[in-house]
Amino acid sequence: MNLRTVLSFGLLFSSVAIYAQHINIPVETRSNALVLQADAKKNLNTIYFGKKLANASEYDQVAAQYKQTSEYTGVLSSPYTPAGSKSLLEPAIAVTHADGNNSLDLRYESHKVEKISDDVSLLSIVLKDPVYDFQVTLYYKSYFKDDVVEQWSVIRHREKGNVVLQKFASGSIYLKADGFWLNQYHGDWAKEMQPEESKITHGIKTLDTKLGTRANLFQPSVFMVSLNKPATEDEGTVLYGALEYSGNFRTDLELDYQNNLKVISGINNFASPYSLKPNEEFTTPAFLYTLSNTGKGDASRNLHNWARNYKILDGKGNRLTLLNNWEATYFDFNEGKLFELLKDTKKLGVDLFLLDDGWFANKYPRNGDVAGLGDWEENKTKLPNGVASLVKEAGNNGVKFGIWIEPEMVNPKSNLYEKHPDWVIKQPKREEHYFRNQLVLDLANPKVQDFVFGVVDDLFTKNPELAYIKWDCNAVIYNAYSSYLGNQNHFYIEYMRGLYKVLERIRAKYPSVPMMLCSGGGGRVDYAALKYFTEFWPSDNTDPIERIFIQWEYSYFYPAITSSNHVTDWGKQPIKFRTDVAMMGKLGFDIVVSHLKENDLKYCQEAIKNYNTLKPVIWHGDQYRLANPREGSVASMLYVNPEKSSAVMFSYLVNNRYDEGSKLPVRLKGLDSGKKYSIKEINLYPDTKSAIDASKIYTGDFLMKVGFNPVVNSGRTSVVLQIEEIK
């Protein structure tokens, strides 16, 4: 007998097929389908993940088309494989039960779908151990239009004692293809997001970090997997993956004996066996993924749209342009100097002045990075009238005021360290190790959480007009130990829980204040952090040539509105080149305005006006990577508004060898082939003429099939083109 029950959940979950022998549970988005199946023995497996089939009943025919070696276990394609029973490969979860037993078996119990909106649905699947009173609920939150899925798990039990979670992934996905290629990233300070692509071979490839705070310093948690062949910008099947977690992560990619790939991602279980009490719930962070059948560009645009709509704080809102004092003064400033910089802020034409490090501490003044961190009172020598006088003076100059903090950290040479050594993460019997002359405060301790929240709260209580926070996080965790926690195995997890508690409190009281996630560069950027921060700092390396490459790689995973790009004195390129590069995101300046030549200042002022006109397209439009800097002498990036009526194209010379430049036209993307467009060069340096004839009209068809040459060469190293529909 064949019984089919059709449950209508709009477009996302089309049906649940219940047969005498199995239950199919599809997770469908606009283009893709992930189909899970509970068999007659209640084993839950993945029977399909790929481009959506028109006929849902045909998912049952997929397995028969693969003539692979025997599946000995029945759980090889499990979406959440347990250790210690039938699994022969890497598990998603491993436990030690209250009686000391290390085995776990998870069988399908039930599932349900909650329709959150026309676009979003939430599937939950309950898995239970038939012997122990232990269960895992798998969650799949699906975003139909953007082809995005978030997967996480909730683990609970009712045994007679604690169960130790030895591994506790968020979830996994199972892929079938004729070969797999991994695009991963590595780096260091000022060398962020260095890509590496390689074919995945048998065994396990692990992407992970154990740094505790600046988790992404050496190994970002984002990655791509291409199926069948390496994907290009516009061709091929590619999976983007990312863990929404700001602490230690671990992603295992295992090519099994059948030549299929399982990707398991979650919190790193390194030094973190977790003792779960009866009836306590352990909720893992979300593992995010999107699958594109038309190349990397489509995947990134889906992710950008999803992020702006659902994840980033104020993702569809506005951002502030700013002038930062760091490279103008470093730690050497006083109220008078800052008043002059406030005048320069207005003169330049940006929205906000940002006061960086060095404004605080008295017993151990913050005149360098060796002292004062943790003592968040205004330095009386530098700021005799406090931050309030600066906020007021900013208002008098018609600009806003923001400030730098690093509230998770402490210098050993500080009042805070002397008064509360028990608040500091350090092994009590070992020599202290410093990262940038500082240590990390123990956010597992509620008193420390109150202190860190108080740093922010006190600033806003005293200065209600404060308009911006730059939140830094420069140290990693050495000698991990919490004097507050009884169980040190919980340390890394409780630290992150404490950080998120602080950020939730800040956003509950100050929901809309812009905050930059700095972390010495991209050391802590992920989609869990971006729920609380409006933007992040990609790298302390602001050399514009280097930034083209760094910003390019970040653009695969994060939309331009989140990328804080500053014009600085790093590099030897002219001010135009530096500014044009910084405009591919959220523009800021970190220069001495008074030292600018007259024409340099004029250029910056005009470029800011252009940027204010174009920023809705850059921040909220579709992003297209046109010419890869790693593949040629020119880099080109295009942003197109949703109506396809306005676009902006950035092009740069990235090779200074003789006679290099844009010798061929660059084919545009994302335009309407039937529309007509004008192309005008903007951001021209004073007293120069454009090589572009702005009077000519082009169809979208021509621009996308033939292309347009921005005329980039040694005399025109950066070119910005404004593209507008002609009606």
Side-chain angles (χ1 to χ4, degrees):
M1 184 173 68
N2 192 1
L3 174 64
R4 178 181 293 273
T5 303
V6 179
L7 305 177
S8 175
F9 296 110
L11 295 173
L12 191 55
F13 288 87
S14 60
S15 66
V16 176
I18 304 177
Y19 299 93
Q21 297 299 317
H22 62 259
I23 301 171
N24 284 0
I25 309 171
V27 181
E28 294 186 344
T29 58
R30 174 174 52 88
S31 305
N32 304 318
L34 168 66
V35 184
L36 307 175
Q37 185 180 90
D39 64 19
K41 294 182 179 181
K42 295 188 176 181
N43 293 313
L44 185 68
N45 282 291
T46 304
I47 64 168
Y48 184 80
F49 183 36
K51 197 170 183 179
K52 185 165 57 178
L53 301 182
N55 185 350
S57 66
E58 291 190 306
Y59 291 122
D60 287 307
Q61 310 304 318
V62 172
Q65 306 308 311
Y66 288 84
K67 308 301 180 183
Q68 298 173 305
T69 56
S70 297
E71 212 286 56
Y72 304 107
T73 68
V75 296
L76 198 59
S77 63
S78 166
Y80 205 73
T81 310
S85 53
K86 293 183 293 182
S87 175
L88 300 174
L89 301 177
E90 183 66 29
I93 183 171
V95 307
T96 301
H97 293 283
D99 64 2
N101 191 293
N102 287 325
S103 69
L104 182 63
D105 191 8
L106 294 174
R107 304 293 180 99
Y108 169 83
E109 183 75 15
S110 64
H111 74 276
K112 65 178 181 179
V113 178
E114 176 187 356
K115 188 168 176 59
I116 297 174
S117 70
D118 289 341
D119 188 44
V120 184
S121 290
L122 180 64
L123 165 68
S124 58
I125 305 173
V126 177
L127 306 176
K128 289 186 177 181
D129 190 305
V131 175
Y132 289 90
D133 196 351
F134 185 100
Q135 78 172 51
V136 175
T137 304
L138 303 181
Y139 289 91
Y140 295 81
K141 194 171 187 180
S142 306
Y143 302 83
F144 183 83
K145 296 176 184 176
D146 299 320
D147 284 329
V148 169
V149 177
E150 293 177 293
Q151 184 181 347
W152 69 93
S153 58
V154 175
I155 305 166
R156 63 176 70 86
H157 73 92
R158 291 189 294 182
E159 298 184 26
K160 293 183 179 180
N162 292 348
V163 172
V164 179
L165 306 181
Q166 307 289 356
K167 187 177 182 182
F168 31 86
S170 299
S172 66
I173 46 182
Y174 193 70
L175 303 168
K176 289 178 177 283
D178 183 19
F180 304 91
W181 282 259
L182 172 65
N183 194 336
Q184 66 184 92
Y185 295 88
H186 70 96
D188 197 349
W189 178 82
K191 300 176 182 178
E192 289 82 0
M193 291 297 284
Q194 304 298 311
E196 293 178 314
E197 187 168 50
S198 59
K199 187 171 184 179
I200 298 176
T201 56
H202 291 87
I204 300 176
K205 173 76 173 184
T206 298
L207 311 177
D208 78 332
T209 186
K210 304 176 181 72
L211 304 182
T213 49
R214 295 177 64 184
N216 292 337
L217 178 60
F218 305 135
Q219 176 81 72
S221 59
V222 294
F223 63 92
M224 306 178 197
V225 174
S226 296
L227 285 66
N228 303 310
K229 62 180 181 179
T232 64
E233 196 67 28
D234 301 306
E235 294 181 342
T237 301
V238 62
L239 175 93
Y240 283 20
L243 189 69
E244 298 178 35
Y245 191 64
S246 308
N248 292 346
F249 61 82
R250 172 179 170 180
T251 298
D252 296 314
L253 302 100
E254 183 170 20
L255 188 65
D256 66 23
Y257 64 90
Q258 286 192 327
N259 299 318
N260 302 323
L261 182 69
K262 178 169 282 189
V263 182
I264 305 171
S265 188
I267 296 174
N268 199 335
N269 55 330
F270 164 75
S272 299
Y274 189 89
S275 297
L276 188 68
K277 300 175 183 177
N279 297 310
E280 178 187 358
E281 290 189 349
F282 186 95
T283 302
T284 67
F287 173 40
L288 162 74
Y289 47 90
T290 184
L291 183 70
S292 167
N293 298 290
T294 51
K296 298 177 182 178
D298 184 55
S300 65
R301 286 184 290 278
N302 286 341
L303 204 52
H304 295 172
N305 288 332
W306 167 82
R308 287 189 295 255
N309 284 318
Y310 295 107
K311 190 60 60 171
I312 300 165
L313 183 66
D314 196 24
K316 301 182 78 172
N318 197 14
R319 296 293 187 270
L320 298 169
T321 55
L322 60 83
L323 174 65
N324 194 0
N325 75 298
W326 180 243
E327 293 196 17
T329 66
Y330 295 100
F331 294 98
D332 182 20
F333 58 82
N334 55 37
E335 187 179 82
K337 279 187 179 181
L338 296 179
F339 276 20
E340 290 303 311
L341 291 175
L342 283 166
K343 294 177 183 177
D344 288 341
T345 307
K346 179 66 173 178
K347 183 179 181 180
L348 186 63
V350 294
D351 303 317
L352 175 138
F353 175 77
L354 172 62
L355 175 60
D356 214 291
D357 196 357
W359 57 269
F360 51 91
N362 289 294
K363 182 178 180 180
Y364 303 104
R366 183 69 169 175
N367 295 321
D369 66 5
V370 297
L373 196 59
D375 300 344
W376 296 102
E377 74 278 358
E378 296 101 327
N379 181 275
K380 294 177 182 178
T381 301
K382 295 180 182 180
L383 302 178
N385 299 301
V387 171
S389 66
L390 300 173
V391 176
K392 182 179 179 181
E393 185 65 14
N396 292 339
N397 281 276
V399 296
K400 298 178 184 294
F401 185 85
I403 201 164
W404 177 97
I405 56 173
E406 193 174 2
E408 298 168 68
M409 308 294 169
V410 63
N411 286 129
K413 194 173 182 180
S414 67
N415 247 338
L416 181 66
Y417 183 91
E418 292 175 352
K419 290 182 178 179
H420 298 287
D422 57 317
W423 285 11
V424 180
I425 296 170
K426 58 177 182 173
Q427 288 283 351
K429 297 180 181 180
R430 298 195 183 277
E431 178 186 359
E432 292 180 0
H433 295 292
Y434 307 129
F435 197 103
R436 205 193 178 203
N437 302 304
Q438 62 196 57
L439 294 166
V440 182
L441 294 176
D442 180 14
L443 277 170
N445 186 334
K447 291 182 180 178
V448 177
Q449 294 170 26
D450 289 342
F451 170 80
V452 174
F453 170 77
V455 173
V456 178
D457 191 41
D458 288 349
L459 280 168
F460 282 109
T461 299
K462 296 175 181 176
N463 308 283
E465 299 302 314
L466 191 64
Y468 187 90
I469 294 288
K470 178 181 178 181
W471 182 302
D472 220 335
C473 170
N474 283 304
V476 302
I477 293 176
Y478 291 129
N479 286 335
Y481 180 86
S482 166
S483 62
Y484 171 79
L485 290 176
N487 186 346
Q488 296 303 312
N489 291 331
H490 289 193
F491 168 73
Y492 286 114
I493 293 171
E494 292 299 339
Y495 179 89
M496 290 312 306
R497 287 176 173 174
L499 173 63
Y500 289 144
K501 286 177 182 177
V502 170
L503 293 172
E504 286 165 6
R505 288 175 65 185
I506 290 171
R507 283 311 179 192
K509 190 168 184 180
Y510 307 102
S512 59
V513 174
M515 291 205 307
M516 180 206 292
L517 181 64
C518 184
S519 196
R524 186 199 268 169
V525 57
D526 62 88
Y527 277 117
L530 287 173
K531 292 191 296 184
Y532 307 105
F533 293 87
T534 50
E535 58 219 58
F536 74 96
W537 183 237
S539 178
D540 280 348
N541 186 343
T542 53
D543 182 307
I545 285 287
E546 297 294 334
R547 268 304 190 107
I548 289 170
F549 289 83
I550 292 171
Q551 291 167 199
W552 184 278
E553 298 302 331
Y554 273 119
S555 77
Y556 286 108
F557 300 95
Y558 302 103
I561 193 172
T562 63
S563 181
S564 292
N565 308 330
H566 290 185
V567 179
T568 75
D569 289 330
W570 278 49
K572 299 179 181 179
Q573 296 81 9
I575 192 72
K576 170 176 166 52
F577 190 94
R578 287 178 272 153
T579 305
D580 290 352
V581 171
M583 282 177 64
M584 290 192 299
K586 206 226 75 170
L587 177 65
F589 289 81
D590 200 337
I591 57 177
V592 184
V593 176
S594 61
H595 292 178
L596 289 175
K597 297 176 183 177
E598 182 181 358
N599 278 345
D600 282 1
L601 178 59
K602 286 182 180 179
Y603 168 80
C604 290
Q605 291 169 331
E606 187 62 28
I608 292 167
K609 292 177 183 177
N610 290 333
Y611 181 75
N612 288 335
T613 299
L614 295 171
K615 62 188 181 185
V617 179
I618 298 169
W619 294 347
H620 305 295
D622 291 327
Q623 187 174 30
Y624 294 88
R625 289 171 292 272
L626 305 181
N628 192 325
R630 286 186 167 83
E631 298 174 358
S633 297
V634 173
S636 286
M637 186 80 79
L638 177 73
Y639 302 84
V640 184
N641 71 350
E643 297 78 20
K644 302 182 184 297
S645 61
S646 183
V648 57
M649 177 179 174
F650 298 92
S651 298
Y652 312 97
L653 184 68
V654 294
N655 183 346
N656 289 320
R657 295 189 67 184
Y658 174 73
D659 197 33
E660 288 299 327
S662 56
K663 298 177 181 179
L664 302 174
V666 177
R667 284 193 291 271
L668 279 63
K669 303 172 185 177
L671 302 178
D672 187 324
S673 60
K675 290 184 176 181
K676 295 180 180 180
Y677 296 93
S678 65
I679 298 178
K680 178 180 71 172
E681 183 174 359
I682 59 172
N683 283 21
L684 288 167
Y685 194 78
D687 302 323
T688 62
K689 293 183 179 181
S690 175
I692 306 299
D693 185 350
S695 67
K696 291 187 177 180
I697 306 299
Y698 305 87
T699 64
D701 180 64
F702 178 90
L703 293 173
M704 291 189 290
K705 290 179 179 176
V706 176
F708 186 85
N709 197 318
V711 196
V712 174
N713 53 49
S714 60
R716 287 165 49 84
T717 55
S718 64
V719 176
V720 182
L721 301 177
Q722 185 175 2
I723 303 165
E724 296 292 337
E725 179 186 0
I726 300 298
K727 296 182 179 179

